[in-house]
Amino acid sequence: MKDLKQEVALSLRQTIERVYPAAQGLPEDLSGLLEIPPEKKLGDYAFPCFKLSRSLRQAPPAIAQALQAAFDAPHLARAECAGGYLNFFLNRGNFAKSTLDAVLEAGARWGAGQEGAGKTVCLDYSSINIAKRFHIGHLSTTVLGNSLKKIFDFLGYKTVSINHLGDWGTQFGKMIAGYKHWGDRETIEKGGVEEMTKLYVRFNQEAEKDPALEEEGRAWFKKIEQGDEEALSIFRWFKDVTLKDAMRVYDILGVKFDSYAGESFYADKTGQVVEELEQKGLLIDSDGAKVVDLEEYGMPPCLILKSDGATLYHTRDLAAALYRKNTYDFDQCLYVVAYQQDLHFRQLFKVLELMGYDWAKTQMKHVAFGMVSYEGQALSTRKGVMIYLDELLQRAQEKALDIITEKSPNLENKEEIARQVGVGAVVYSTLQNGRIKDIDFRWDRALNFDGETGPYVQYTHARCCSVLRKAPDLTSIAPDYAALDNDECQQLLLLLSRFPETVRDAADKYEPSFITRAVTDLAKAYNKFYYEHRVLEESDPAGTLARLLLTRAVKNVIRTGLTLIGVEAPERM
Ligand code: ARG
């Protein structure tokens, strides 16, 4: 269904065609040109006449006046001129009915669509590294990717979520060597990744004193590469231990993957890539290593093989890209990875293009995000500047539980709701700002439950649920939409009607923060409405019914929005 804005845009277009049949260069859908006036008393939408003024050679105010005189859609809106602008004031009663009908009929699918039907999007996100504890450096990619997957699903795309595990490289040989010297199975089984990291640190310390260890580490990695039984079984066990820890975090966050094919998965597929690069004449020798020269494109060479024949991160990513194309036949392949890897991906896409894969130009996309620091310092395990995700989520849940126990001692399922609220706080704060913005992690902000936060939005949703629970049965009467003819309700209706557009913008720009913004605006507008109006008014059942329908619509859309960013919406808090 069209929203009110599109309806107004359509009528405006017809008006322009009537008044200025010669007008040129207008887009089919004018809604993109409709602005939101800075002040509400100027109307709900404004159409600037400046572009038309150039092609029509008339002053903008004259055009605005001519259009105003001819605009004739009273069921939608009234038009007024203000300088070079034509301002539209929506027809409230009608707008309320059509918006609420549409939102409530769509239910959980308000804003959903089928434009993605038949198209596949691969999303590479989270992509953690084996033998490293899951830390906040991987929080953004995890929640951004999870949200984007949900948004694309919602628009009818088929999505494939991929955790491209960092599970290949000489460090795993070193870890095995370290384990052989100083490790034991039980300690690692009990201590998890933390213990594995200790072994790796110890290995590096000892290797400084005894360089022969380096050779041992390399030898173990060679064994992994050659499929040696013992090496592989230790390596696989390291992986299991890491994934078991990570799974706990994914479970709490509600994050799932369709595939865990990581770097090691491509180890036996890189040979073919190297061969293809060779055949296409793209490989050149550089001090014994093999590289693709990218100087012409202003980039350093892309390393394909080291002088000892070992593959690199790029080599495996090339194999992965081709594998994904062949396996999933994607229309888009997204890499949700920090902007530090910008060069890596530009090189990757360029090499694919040089190999003759034109789709790399349009279908591959690095969805970059900002850097995470902790109280102004770059994250570093070595320097102890680090926050682990299990710890963060644990603390968030504990804090939520404290607050719930204090404020709603009789609530059932306190623990489960504390999980939803604690996670809500963390996820929301990660998706609150545009993704490219750097995040300086601060405990007080991540655990903040007041102001514009996840728990605040969740709380508003629970408030709507509570209002609806208290509502009398009004099924036998008709709603009086005139009861919604006030600024607070109209604001809510506008936000509801714009939600589908927001979802599309979020998908186009890969920006879940647009949806975070939308649910926050809705929550704020609902609370304003709630303080200024009585929803349940015994003497006015028809008006009450209209306010209840509005409440239900707000509840649905907040829930949908939260779901799309990966936050749950408890009915009671
Ligand atoms: N494991 C990498 C890291 O933690 C991210 C991998 C991203 N995906 C990819 N296909 N390169 O930095």
Side-chain angles (χ1 to χ4, degrees):
M1 97 130 218
K2 280 204 187 69
D3 63 20
L4 203 75
K5 183 180 182 186
Q6 286 167 310
E7 298 285 358
V8 171
L10 192 67
S11 288
L12 172 63
R13 183 175 183 90
Q14 289 160 353
T15 311
I16 297 176
E17 278 165 2
R18 267 202 318 276
V19 182
Y20 299 110
Q24 271 170 14
L26 284 178
E28 191 54 43
D29 179 4
L30 290 184
S31 48
L33 298 180
L34 290 181
E35 298 174 1
I36 311 256
E39 279 176 80
K40 276 188 72 180
K41 63 171 198 279
L42 293 173
D44 299 297
Y45 296 113
F47 177 68
C49 300
F50 306 96
K51 265 209 192 111
L52 274 181
S53 146
R54 242 166 287 142
S55 72
L56 297 171
R57 295 170 186 281
Q58 251 190 56
I63 298 176
Q65 266 163 31
L67 292 179
Q68 191 249 332
F71 185 78
D72 183 24
H75 61 292
L76 288 176
R78 156 173 72 78
E80 271 182 20
C81 316
Y85 286 90
L86 188 61
N87 293 337
F88 296 98
F89 295 78
L90 298 175
N91 178 337
R92 313 272 171 196
N94 242 316
F95 175 45
K97 178 174 172 7
S98 61
T99 304
L100 291 180
D101 280 354
V103 175
L104 291 171
E105 195 193 297
R109 291 195 52 79
W110 175 243
Q114 279 307 317
E115 53 258 61
K119 296 197 191 114
T120 299
V121 182
C122 285
L123 300 105
D124 176 324
Y125 60 94
S126 199
S127 301
I128 50 170
N129 299 319
I130 294 305
K132 289 219 180 99
R133 218 170 137 193
F134 203 157
H135 61 73
I136 50 165
H138 279 89
L139 178 60
S140 295
T141 165
T142 306
V143 302
L144 272 168
N146 182 50
S147 172
L148 289 172
K149 173 182 165 64
K150 286 172 195 271
I151 293 169
F152 281 104
D153 280 338
F154 198 56
L155 295 177
Y157 293 83
K158 176 173 164 21
T159 57
V160 184
S161 53
I162 304 169
N163 198 329
H164 186 79
L165 299 173
D167 59 359
W168 201 246
T170 41
Q171 73 268 32
F172 298 104
K174 295 181 185 178
M175 290 199 55
I176 295 182
Y179 171 67
K180 282 288 190 178
H181 281 283
W182 314 288
D184 73 279
R185 201 163 181 106
E186 221 175 302
T187 318
I188 293 188
E189 288 288 354
K190 247 198 251 134
V193 188
E194 184 83 40
E195 288 299 327
M196 278 161 41
T197 316
K198 278 190 203 154
L199 276 182
Y200 185 59
V201 171
R202 170 127 187 228
F203 178 94
N204 285 319
Q205 284 165 351
E206 305 265 350
E208 267 175 37
K209 289 178 264 165
D210 177 8
L213 275 172
E214 291 287 352
E215 200 37 60
E216 240 178 77
R218 263 194 293 278
W220 274 111
F221 183 60
K222 195 109 223 131
K223 285 190 180 181
I224 300 180
E225 280 184 299
Q226 288 162 345
D228 173 82
E229 227 11 86
E230 184 187 8
L232 273 186
S233 88
I234 303 176
F235 171 59
R236 287 202 191 108
W237 171 59
F238 284 167
K239 244 174 102 163
D240 288 346
V241 172
T242 313
L243 280 178
K244 208 170 109 205
D245 277 10
M247 264 333 160
R248 262 198 294 273
V249 172
Y250 290 139
D251 282 347
I252 295 173
L253 290 172
V255 171
K256 293 196 182 66
F257 296 93
D258 299 311
S259 160
Y260 284 87
E263 296 190 42
S264 70
F265 178 79
Y266 299 102
D268 64 356
K269 299 171 182 64
T270 47
Q272 223 179 327
V273 175
V274 175
E275 210 172 284
E276 190 180 332
L277 285 165
E278 192 92 67
Q279 262 170 21
K280 293 183 171 162
L282 291 165
L283 277 192
I284 58 169
D285 254 13
S286 164
D287 294 333
K290 302 261 189 210
V291 307
V292 178
D293 180 38
L294 297 175
E295 197 179 344
E296 208 181 307
Y297 311 98
M299 289 184 268
C302 179
L303 258 101
I304 302 294
L305 287 179
K306 287 198 232 170
S307 51
D308 64 0
T311 61
L312 289 116
Y313 185 38
H314 264 132
T315 330
R316 296 185 289 276
D317 253 333
L318 282 168
L322 295 172
Y323 177 87
R324 287 175 194 171
K325 188 69 188 173
N326 291 332
T327 309
Y328 306 114
D329 191 22
F330 57 72
D331 297 272
Q332 288 190 65
C333 180
L334 310 180
Y335 295 85
V336 186
V337 183
Y339 71 60
Q340 283 104 313
Q341 295 194 29
D342 171 67
L343 177 62
H344 170 81
F345 287 106
R346 283 194 291 122
Q347 291 174 305
L348 175 68
F349 302 164
K350 185 50 92 182
V351 171
L352 286 165
E353 195 189 315
L354 294 174
M355 290 171 88
Y357 298 114
D358 274 345
W359 45 262
K361 269 191 268 189
T362 49
Q363 300 183 341
M364 309 285 276
K365 172 87 191 166
H366 176 200
V367 178
F369 56 84
M371 229 171 66
V372 186
S373 52
Y374 174 36
E375 300 190 335
Q377 283 180 278
L379 297 183
S380 155
T381 321
R382 213 160 34 81
K383 295 189 190 138
V385 187
M386 190 47 80
I387 311 262
Y388 296 103
L389 267 186
D390 48 358
E391 199 183 318
L392 169 60
L393 292 169
Q394 186 60 35
R395 277 177 66 170
Q397 292 175 83
E398 278 164 15
K399 178 164 176 191
L401 188 59
D402 283 350
I403 296 177
I404 291 169
T405 310
E406 191 194 316
K407 291 200 173 151
S408 328
N410 300 322
L411 193 69
E412 277 172 44
N413 291 332
K414 281 202 203 62
E415 250 103 43
E416 172 56 14
I417 292 174
R419 183 189 63 77
Q420 300 182 351
V421 174
V423 169
V426 172
V427 171
Y428 180 103
S429 70
T430 311
L431 297 179
Q432 187 166 20
N433 295 307
R435 60 183 157 80
I436 212 66
K437 201 173 157 189
D438 290 339
I439 298 182
D440 186 31
F441 181 88
R442 289 210 331 253
W443 277 106
D444 58 346
R445 197 168 36 216
L447 297 185
N448 182 16
F449 289 12
D450 307 313
E452 295 190 1
T453 62
Y456 167 78
V457 179
Q458 287 173 317
Y459 182 76
T460 310
H461 172 267
R463 164 171 277 167
C464 293
C465 292
S466 148
V467 169
L468 293 166
R469 274 195 301 271
K470 290 189 202 123
D473 180 11
L474 296 170
T475 37
S476 59
I477 59 167
D480 173 16
Y481 293 104
L484 307 183
D485 194 354
N486 54 64
D487 285 355
E488 293 74 30
C489 292
Q490 291 301 315
Q491 182 60 24
L492 279 170
L493 290 163
L494 266 179
L495 292 172
L496 292 172
S497 74
R498 282 180 201 149
F499 185 72
E501 210 178 308
T502 305
V503 176
R504 277 146 192 85
D505 285 349
D508 281 352
K509 306 256 162 45
Y510 314 106
E511 262 307 356
S513 64
F514 292 176
I515 293 178
T516 316
R517 183 79 259 151
V519 290
T520 308
D521 289 346
L522 255 179
K524 281 163 79 175
Y526 188 81
N527 288 320
K528 189 157 196 287
F529 156 73
Y530 185 83
Y531 286 117
E532 310 216 351
H533 302 271
R534 273 176 72 104
V535 181
L536 306 176
E537 190 73 77
E538 240 172 90
S539 60
D540 174 22
T544 298
L545 181 54
R547 286 184 292 272
L548 284 169
L549 293 176
L550 179 63
T551 300
R552 181 176 300 284
V554 169
K555 180 200 92 147
N556 287 354
V557 176
I558 290 185
R559 185 187 189 87
T560 302
L562 286 177
T563 307
L564 289 177
I565 60 169
V567 172
E568 285 171 83
E571 305 217 328
R572 294 171 201 256
M573 269 172 80

